């Protein structure tokens, strides 16, 4: 803005200076005796003129800047006309072109937004529909577990749990991408959330013959229950993938939950990327991993004010912490 008002003031200041010099020269020629007396008033008038020109240009620059910001925020004919009135009609073609481009961009954005909402609704409908056959499989497993071999039963339960986990992850990914999440904050039990998250992984834990040591406390929190269960589930899912024989769940104080596994951890150089989208880890033997679980856990944790981080990255003692201090 400073550079623009100096540039715009050059011509009127030059004209004023030339006029003042001509007037001084004429006064000197006409009456040399009165020249010294008149000179003071001429210079005073000159500096007043300079002040008026500079002030007017600064004020105009500020007004044009504000009108440009208004036009950018709300590209309409109303804001366009105001800007043209101040900047001059010479800019009409340029501003009209900007207006048309902004309008097209806004229409494209609204169209993509609508498509994204439709995609989210499709995912949610599909996820709810697919839960029916999954529930039937659960019922069949429960009612016929005496008739089915243990190996087949555990394999079927493992496949069903993995399917549930992936569907749930897809559902939460679709919800977060449209940036319209209706969190229902309420007083809840952390222990209840842990227990519900654990239920989803019993078959996977049995399949991998893992030992789970749950020493977590029954702490009361204000949070969104379903999202908290999802976050804990994804951390547990990660622990189930990489643990060799044991998973431990415990609290540090009243505001921090730790989930520990005895896997090899991650390479130190990769530690900064563990919560990035599509990170699967070089030490993973799980080739089907999408790398979305911890990423989604992190974005939902950030929304709920939970500090989700790696607390320890040692071989045989990999710990992910959920700190509720915020």
């Amino acid at each position: 803005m400073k550079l623009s008002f100096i540039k715009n003031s050059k011509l009127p200041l030059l004209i004023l200076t030339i006029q003042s010099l001509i007037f001084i020269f004429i006064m000197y020629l006409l009456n040399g005796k009165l020249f010294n007396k008149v000179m003071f008033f001429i210079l005073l008038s000159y500096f007043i003129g300079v002040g008026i020109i500079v002030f007017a240009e600064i004020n105009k620059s500020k007004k044009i800047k504000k009108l440009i910001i208004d036009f950018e925020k709300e590209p309409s004919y109303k804001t366009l006309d105001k800007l043209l009135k101040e900047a001059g009609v010479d800019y009409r073609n340029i501003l009209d072109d900007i207006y048309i481009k902004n309008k097209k961009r806004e229409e494209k954005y609204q169209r993509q937004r609508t498509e994204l909402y439709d995609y989210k609704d499709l995912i949610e409908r599909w996820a709810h529909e697919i839960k029916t056959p999954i529930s039937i499989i659960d019922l069949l497993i429960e009612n016929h577990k005496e008739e089915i071999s243990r190996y087949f039963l555990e394999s079927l339960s493992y496949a069903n749990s993995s399917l549930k986990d992936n569907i749930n992850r897809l559902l939460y990914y679709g919800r977060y991408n449209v940036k319209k999440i209706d969190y229902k904050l309420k007083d809840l039990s952390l222990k209840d959330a842990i227990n519900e998250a654990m239920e989803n992984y019993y078959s996977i834990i049995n399949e991998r013959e893992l030992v789970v040591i749950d020493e977590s406390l029954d702490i009361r929190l204000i949070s969104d229950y379903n999202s908290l269960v999802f976050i804990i589930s994804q951390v547990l899912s990660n622990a189930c993938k990489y643990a060799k024989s044991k998973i431990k769940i415990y609290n540090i104080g009243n505001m921090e939950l730790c989930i520990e596994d005895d896997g090899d951890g991650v390479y130190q150089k990769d530690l900064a990327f563990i919560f990035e989208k599509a990170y699967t880890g070089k030490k993973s033997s799980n080739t089907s991993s999408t790398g979305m679980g911890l990423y989604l856990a992190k974005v939902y944790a950030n929304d709920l004010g939970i500090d989700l981080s790696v607390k320890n990255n040692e071989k045989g003692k990999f710990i992910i912490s959920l700190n509720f201090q915020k």
Side-chain angles (χ1 to χ4, degrees), residues 165 168-173 175-176 181 183-185 188 190 192-198 200-201 221-241 247 249 255-260 274-275 292-310 318-324 326:
D165 192 32
N168 203 30
R169 200 172 290 148
L170 179 64
L171 188 60
Y172 272 85
Y173 181 69
R175 282 177 182 169
Y176 194 80
I181 308 168
Y183 290 114
K184 295 176 182 176
L185 301 178
L188 56 86
L190 177 60
D192 288 346
I194 293 169
N195 289 340
E196 186 168 333
M198 282 285 293
N200 300 323
Y201 295 96
L221 298 170
I222 301 293
S223 193
D224 179 83
Y225 183 77
N226 291 330
S227 298
L228 181 58
V229 170
F230 174 76
I231 294 165
I232 295 171
S233 294
Q234 299 315 303
V235 180
L236 278 171
S237 174
N238 184 77
C240 288
K241 286 174 188 173
I247 296 172
I249 305 168
M255 301 304 290
E256 188 173 7
L257 176 70
C258 293
I259 298 175
E260 176 185 323
I274 190 170
F275 295 108
M292 294 299 293
L294 289 182
Y295 163 73
L296 289 171
K298 183 69 172 178
V299 293
Y300 276 92
N302 286 342
D303 271 8
L304 294 172
I306 301 169
D307 183 16
L308 183 67
S309 61
V310 175
F318 181 77
I319 305 171
I320 290 183
S321 160
L322 288 81
N323 195 318
F324 303 98
K326 290 183 183 179

Side-chain angles (χ1 to χ4, degrees), residues 121-173:
D121 291 338
L122 179 65
I123 288 176
E124 287 188 341
R125 285 198 302 272
W126 176 82
H128 287 300
E129 286 173 8
I130 204 72
K131 283 179 181 179
T132 303
I134 290 173
S135 299
I136 293 171
I137 295 172
D138 282 335
L139 193 62
L140 286 170
I141 291 170
E142 184 64 30
N143 292 339
H144 299 278
K145 57 186 175 184
E146 301 297 331
E147 304 167 20
I148 305 171
S149 69
R150 184 181 174 186
Y151 174 78
F152 184 74
L153 182 67
E154 288 180 354
S155 297
L156 189 60
S157 298
Y158 176 80
N160 205 32
S161 295
S162 298
L163 185 59
K164 283 181 188 175
D165 192 32
N166 285 315
I167 289 169
N168 203 30
R169 200 172 290 148
L170 179 64
L171 188 60
Y172 272 85
Y173 181 69

